[in-house]
Amino acid sequence: MTASRVPALFTDLYELTMLQAYRAEGMTGPAVFDVFARTLPKRNFLLACGLEQVLDYLESFAVSGQDIDYLRSLGRFRPDFLEYLRALRFTGTVYAMAEGTPAFAHEPLLTVEAPMPEAQFVETAVLNLLHYPTLVASKGVRVTQAAQGRAVVDFGARRAHGVDAAIACARALHIVGYHGTSNVEAGRRYGIPVAGTVAHSYVQAHASEAESFARFVAEFPGTTLLVDTYDTLDGVRQVIDLARRLGDRFQVSAVRLDSGDLAALARAARALLDEAGMSQVRIMASGGLDEHAIAALLADGAPIDGFGVGTTVDVAADRPYLDAAYKLVAYDGRDCGKLSPGKVSLPGPKQVYRIMEGNSAIGDVIARRDEAVMGEPLLHCVMRKGCRLPSASPGLSASRAHLAAGLDRLPARLQSLSDAAQPYPVAVSQALLAAQSRFQQLHSEDT
Amino acid sequence: MTASRVPALFTDLYELTMLQAYRAEGMTGPAVFDVFARTLPKRNFLLACGLEQVLDYLESFAVSGQDIDYLRSLGRFRPDFLEYLRALRFTGTVYAMAEGTPAFAHEPLLTVEAPMPEAQFVETAVLNLLHYPTLVASKGVRVTQAAQGRAVVDFGARRAHGVDAAIACARALHIVGYHGTSNVEAGRRYGIPVAGTVAHSYVQAHASEAESFARFVAEFPGTTLLVDTYDTLDGVRQVIDLARRLGDRFQVSAVRLDSGDLAALARAARALLDEAGMSQVRIMASGGLDEHAIAALLADGAPIDGFGVGTTVDVAADRPYLDAAYKLVAYDGRDCGKLSPGKVSLPGPKQVYRIMEGNSAIGDVIARRDEAVMGEPLLHCVMRKGCRLPSASPGLSASRAHLAAGLDRLPARLQSLSDAAQPYPVAVSQALLAAQSRFQQLHSEDT
């Protein structure tokens, strides 16, 4: 299944001005850039996601003749530089955490090593393509945890920030354990189960709710009926009436509540259905739900069998961005870093090790890549010389399994919806601390 | 310039199940759907935006053979229905507010009138395409107002939710008065001015900051230099040294501050530059800015000449979604509505009138479309029988002018960054109230 092609000019203009300068200076040596989040507000962990989209982009990266014409029209680039861009491809090496790996602040999710111009050009797109799936996977896993094994379906296509966000979100949420998505294009593109039956407008378009239900089950007998268009419990009674009229032909599998006091309505609906001998009809809930609302409903004992979750997760409403950055950590074999307040970066190529005790992760160590640390390395080579390695694209099922296994190994306190009183310990290795201190000293001597 | 094509299957599955049922019932009569926001949290007004993308989508809407094959593979649709989808086009009429029109809760931003199956199919995409540009235009105008005429540039491409969000955002922000964008693809596609010079990584890749500055101005003499990679005021001193060395050849136009206490640093940088006789060198600021940060900097007297604004606006961080809906208000000449708690919709086709007193808007009236109300109608026919009217696409310059004029006419109290103590009055006309009450009565008799 092909993804949408990312336009080559989807980049910040400064990437191109820097490229022209690098080229003029002959600075085309190998550069190393890390992608990481500086902080983790409102989350106890992140889940790395979006690697597949990054690799698709890097493999197909090419500047077209039409792109060159536009850049020429800006009047700020040299003709020989524009010709150079025409031939530019991504030939670098990429290390990354597998999709679905739990990750923490300052840990590289992905490292790009490539000749400086290539590594610099792709900054904007790589960050964009990795940031959003990681953002929504890290939000969405809270919903599947709150739902305690009940089915969750992504309903967020209409208010996600654009079409490709909605599609990328459906994919990320399937990795974190969502049962499916309402988004047909995401289903087509990634083989995700699609779900959906009927909206309020269908009920409204008919002269009465009862008529709309009867008509819809004539077409889709095993459907879920939406019962809250006018009055939720009246709606449930209409479903019960329909069951009486249809007898053995009644196959409706569920009713959906989408507004009002969902806990009270679910209890009342369950009582009506059970009383009518319809215990096989399940109750679905939707309507502005997030992980906290779901946890509260279940804590309240609401008899809800599944959830449709929309906007709050597709836009990660409580924290709609990560403080994610793409930072130069080495150029031409020399460590690089940044000392700006609040934006310090760790120098040099790195590896992240997860330290295990039995089957439990007890902490991570961010280390130099060439350093020997006991623990499980989380960054793997996924692309070499611009070509994706077969192991880099395990498929959605394998990513789901990888995520589930990784979550199982995390301390239970991180799996709470509130901030863990004791955060997961992430250490910086002695060798990396020494490198950082050398870098700071070097710079302070410089100025 | 062409926009990305929205896949026809970018729709919620329930749109398709409803379509098959409508078709089986012969319910292909004319339907009217309104797009509106139910509430306006953290905003005193919205700005309608995204119409161009909606019209592009509706004009090119078509289900491909590959799409049909996928739908067939789901095993839930009838073969004759799938053949019917293959021939389906959008043949309806669309009314909308011009891009850049100030709007309020419950006012239709757009109305679709089409045979039910067409109007229903396009719900998900129409809402998605209108919601996000309206969201970011309504956020971004707060930034241009806070900047009080200083240049603002969109820097948000890397953390917008996907590639098409970033491009749509750059367009919306240009309409609300941003000078330009760092996003080259948005510049190419929509003719928006592009801006950008150099990043921290360029400074870091060189052996020293001084060397990086000297090299960069050799390539781009009139550039903006980023001075905060290691120590901001040291960075400014390097720029001053460079000016001394270059003499008349020094043409650097600005320095950019991206971290730390921006007000204090701007004052100190201004003092250093002025002392060195370099009053022509301007000061730009960036780094996590939003409208409140910009207002605070300017209230503090910070001598800043322009702003780069990123993530906070591209994701509308303080309110990353609108409570926007696409609701059926009439079918086959009959009013429709919804009575769910908190989700009541106004029945029937509508017009919104802006009531003027001289050159000031004093309130709006939401009325029945066929009702005569004194005031300026805000909804215009933009597409008829599936064809866009020429007046529907006035171009970005005209939309910028329309927006500026519309803002000028709004009461000054709405242009504050805080919630207006007295919100803008939006009335519902007598005829519309009567229709709503008829609808409610009709339904309560029904059940």
Side-chain angles (χ1 to χ4, degrees):
Chain A
M1 301 294 164
T2 57
S4 312
R5 174 78 185 276
V6 176
L9 294 192
F10 184 72
T11 192
D12 288 309
L13 184 66
Y14 73 9
E15 317 287 8
L16 298 179
T17 48
M18 287 190 276
L19 247 64
Q20 178 167 311
Y22 282 136
R23 189 158 171 274
E25 301 168 58
M27 284 179 67
T28 55
V32 184
F33 284 84
D34 282 344
V35 177
F36 60 95
R38 293 188 185 102
T39 55
L40 244 65
K42 301 190 185 177
R43 305 286 182 265
N44 289 322
F45 58 91
L46 299 179
L47 289 169
C49 200
L51 175 59
E52 186 76 5
Q53 289 104 312
V54 170
L55 297 177
D56 285 346
Y57 160 71
L58 292 175
E59 277 195 336
S60 65
F61 173 82
V63 183
S64 72
Q66 200 184 6
D67 294 337
I68 302 285
D69 291 345
Y70 167 69
L71 293 177
R72 185 179 298 114
S73 77
L74 295 177
R76 67 182 96 185
F77 296 109
R78 296 179 189 275
D80 65 320
F81 172 67
L82 295 174
E83 284 312 306
Y84 160 81
L85 286 185
R86 197 190 293 271
L88 196 68
R89 297 294 179 276
F90 183 79
T91 66
T93 296
V94 178
Y95 299 85
M97 291 190 189
E99 292 195 272
T101 303
F104 300 89
H106 288 288
E107 296 184 351
L109 305 172
L110 183 139
T111 297
V112 170
E113 285 192 20
M116 175 59 100
E118 300 170 24
Q120 188 73 66
F121 195 140
V122 303
E123 169 177 15
T124 310
V126 166
L127 205 38
N128 179 290
L129 294 171
L130 203 67
H131 169 265
Y132 178 67
T134 297
L135 176 76
V136 289
S138 307
K139 171 77 171 173
V141 72
R142 296 163 62 84
V143 171
T144 48
Q145 292 188 318
Q148 302 173 38
R150 288 165 187 80
V152 184
V153 175
D154 168 39
F155 277 7
R158 58 193 54 202
R159 296 211 202 104
H161 292 179
V163 168
D164 60 7
I167 295 169
C169 183
R171 179 182 181 278
L173 295 180
H174 191 52
I175 291 179
V176 306
Y178 274 47
H179 170 72
T181 179
S182 66
N183 183 333
V184 184
E185 177 64 13
R188 189 186 72 77
R189 201 171 293 184
Y190 297 115
I192 304 168
V194 288
T197 58
V198 71
H200 294 112
S201 54
Y202 182 84
V203 178
Q204 293 166 239
H206 289 79
S208 73
E209 192 172 43
E211 189 195 326
S212 78
F213 289 174
R215 297 286 201 156
F216 200 75
V217 302
E219 201 62 22
F220 295 99
T223 195
T224 293
L225 289 171
L226 177 62
V227 293
D228 77 321
T229 306
Y230 304 116
D231 177 290
T232 303
L233 297 181
D234 273 352
V236 175
R237 287 186 198 100
Q238 306 280 5
V239 176
I240 293 169
D241 284 352
L242 183 67
R244 290 197 179 121
R245 286 205 304 281
L246 290 179
D248 286 353
R249 287 176 297 133
F250 179 84
Q251 299 172 44
V252 168
S253 61
V255 296
R256 175 159 74 95
L257 320 175
D258 188 51
S259 54
D261 178 342
L262 293 174
L265 291 170
R267 270 192 290 268
R270 184 75 274 155
L272 289 171
L273 290 166
D274 288 349
E275 207 173 292
M278 293 162 64
S279 58
Q280 83 288 3
V281 175
R282 290 170 303 150
I283 296 179
M284 310 293 292
S286 57
L289 297 176
D290 66 6
E291 67 270 37
H292 301 290
I294 290 172
L297 285 168
L298 296 183
D300 196 10
I304 297 175
D305 304 291
F307 298 94
V309 182
T311 308
T312 58
V313 171
D314 279 61
V315 309
D318 62 337
R319 184 67 192 175
Y321 64 97
L322 302 172
D323 191 11
Y326 180 96
K327 287 296 161 197
L328 183 68
V329 296
Y331 177 65
D332 222 3
R334 178 171 55 75
D335 281 358
C336 296
K338 204 171 139 191
L339 305 171
S340 321
K343 295 188 176 177
V344 171
S345 55
L346 297 166
K350 300 176 198 68
Q351 179 56 278
V352 181
Y353 293 93
R354 185 142 296 162
I355 314 300
M356 303 297 296
E357 215 170 66
N359 197 37
S360 299
I362 57 167
D364 288 0
V365 177
I366 309 177
R368 301 282 285 186
R369 187 189 292 154
D370 51 12
E371 199 179 345
V373 173
M374 292 292 287
E376 198 173 293
L378 301 183
L379 291 165
H380 305 284
C381 186
V382 291
M383 177 174 266
R384 205 182 292 281
K385 293 188 181 168
C387 292
R388 178 190 328 225
L389 304 186
S391 59
S393 295
L396 288 192
S397 298
S399 295
R400 281 164 74 90
H402 174 70
L403 181 140
L407 277 187
D408 267 356
R409 299 163 14 151
L410 284 189
R413 69 181 190 280
L414 300 188
Q415 315 209 16
S416 154
L417 298 183
S418 355
D419 290 352
Q422 193 196 339
Y424 185 79
V426 178
V428 174
S429 76
Q430 289 304 315
L432 185 49
L433 281 175
Q436 186 177 25
S437 139
R438 274 197 308 276
F439 174 75
Q440 276 174 325
Q441 201 168 2
L442 191 72
H443 179 73
S444 60
E445 284 164 8
D446 251 21
T447 53
Chain B
M1 302 297 165
T2 59
S4 311
R5 174 80 184 276
V6 176
L9 293 191
F10 185 71
T11 191
D12 288 310
L13 183 67
Y14 73 9
E15 317 288 7
L16 299 179
T17 48
M18 287 189 278
L19 246 66
Q20 178 167 309
Y22 282 136
R23 187 154 173 275
E25 300 168 59
M27 285 180 66
T28 56
V32 184
F33 284 84
D34 282 345
V35 177
F36 61 94
R38 294 188 185 102
T39 55
L40 244 64
K42 302 190 185 177
R43 306 284 183 265
N44 288 323
F45 58 92
L46 299 179
L47 288 169
C49 200
L51 175 59
E52 186 76 6
Q53 288 104 312
V54 170
L55 297 176
D56 285 345
Y57 161 72
L58 293 175
E59 276 195 335
S60 64
F61 174 82
V63 182
S64 71
Q66 199 184 6
D67 295 337
I68 304 283
D69 291 345
Y70 168 69
L71 293 176
R72 185 179 299 114
S73 77
L74 296 176
R76 67 182 95 187
F77 297 109
R78 294 180 190 275
D80 66 319
F81 172 66
L82 295 175
E83 284 313 305
Y84 160 81
L85 286 185
R86 197 191 292 274
L88 196 67
R89 298 292 181 275
F90 183 79
T91 65
T93 296
V94 178
Y95 299 85
M97 291 190 188
E99 293 195 90
T101 303
F104 300 89
H106 287 286
E107 296 183 351
L109 305 171
L110 183 137
T111 297
V112 170
E113 285 193 21
M116 176 59 100
E118 300 170 23
Q120 189 72 66
F121 196 140
V122 303
E123 169 178 16
T124 310
V126 167
L127 204 38
N128 180 290
L129 293 170
L130 203 66
H131 169 266
Y132 178 67
T134 297
L135 176 76
V136 289
S138 307
K139 171 75 171 173
V141 72
R142 295 163 62 84
V143 170
T144 48
Q145 292 187 319
Q148 301 173 39
R150 288 166 188 79
V152 183
V153 175
D154 168 38
F155 277 7
R158 56 192 55 202
R159 295 211 203 104
H161 292 179
V163 168
D164 61 7
I167 295 170
C169 183
R171 178 182 181 278
L173 295 180
H174 191 52
I175 291 179
V176 305
Y178 273 47
H179 169 71
T181 179
S182 66
N183 184 334
V184 183
E185 178 63 14
R188 189 187 72 77
R189 201 171 290 184
Y190 296 116
I192 303 168
V194 287
T197 58
V198 72
H200 294 112
S201 55
Y202 182 84
V203 178
Q204 293 167 240
H206 288 80
S208 73
E209 192 174 42
E211 188 195 325
S212 78
F213 289 175
R215 297 286 199 156
F216 200 74
V217 301
E219 201 63 22
F220 296 99
T223 195
T224 293
L225 289 171
L226 177 61
V227 293
D228 77 321
T229 305
Y230 304 115
D231 177 290
T232 303
L233 297 181
D234 274 351
V236 175
R237 288 186 199 102
Q238 305 281 4
V239 176
I240 293 169
D241 284 350
L242 183 67
R244 290 199 179 120
R245 286 204 304 280
L246 290 179
D248 286 352
R249 287 175 298 137
F250 180 84
Q251 299 172 43
V252 169
S253 62
V255 296
R256 176 159 74 95
L257 319 177
D258 188 52
S259 55
D261 177 343
L262 293 173
L265 290 170
R267 270 192 291 270
R270 184 74 275 153
L272 287 171
L273 291 167
D274 288 350
E275 207 173 293
M278 293 163 64
S279 58
Q280 83 288 1
V281 175
R282 288 169 305 149
I283 296 178
M284 310 294 290
S286 58
L289 297 176
D290 65 6
E291 67 271 37
H292 300 291
I294 290 172
L297 285 168
L298 296 182
D300 195 10
I304 296 174
D305 304 290
F307 298 95
V309 181
T311 307
T312 59
V313 171
D314 279 61
V315 308
D318 61 338
R319 185 66 190 172
Y321 63 96
L322 302 172
D323 192 11
Y326 179 96
K327 288 296 160 196
L328 182 70
V329 296
Y331 176 66
D332 222 3
R334 176 171 55 74
D335 281 358
C336 296
K338 203 171 140 193
L339 306 172
S340 319
K343 295 188 177 178
V344 170
S345 56
L346 297 166
K350 299 173 200 72
Q351 179 57 278
V352 181
Y353 293 93
R354 185 142 296 163
I355 314 301
M356 303 296 299
E357 216 169 65
N359 197 36
S360 299
I362 57 167
D364 288 359
V365 177
I366 308 177
R368 300 282 285 186
R369 187 187 294 155
D370 51 13
E371 198 179 347
V373 172
M374 292 291 287
E376 198 172 293
L378 301 183
L379 290 166
H380 306 284
C381 186
V382 291
M383 175 174 269
R384 205 181 291 282
K385 295 188 180 167
C387 292
R388 177 189 330 224
L389 303 186
S391 59
S393 295
L396 288 192
S397 298
S399 294
R400 282 164 72 91
H402 173 70
L403 181 140
L407 276 188
D408 267 356
R409 299 161 16 150
L410 283 190
R413 69 181 189 281
L414 300 188
Q415 315 209 16
S416 152
L417 299 184
S418 359
D419 290 352
Q422 192 196 341
Y424 185 78
V426 177
V428 174
S429 76
Q430 289 303 316
L432 186 49
L433 282 176
Q436 187 177 25
S437 138
R438 273 197 310 277
F439 174 75
Q440 277 174 324
Q441 201 167 3
L442 191 71
H443 178 75
S444 60
E445 285 164 8
D446 250 21
T447 56

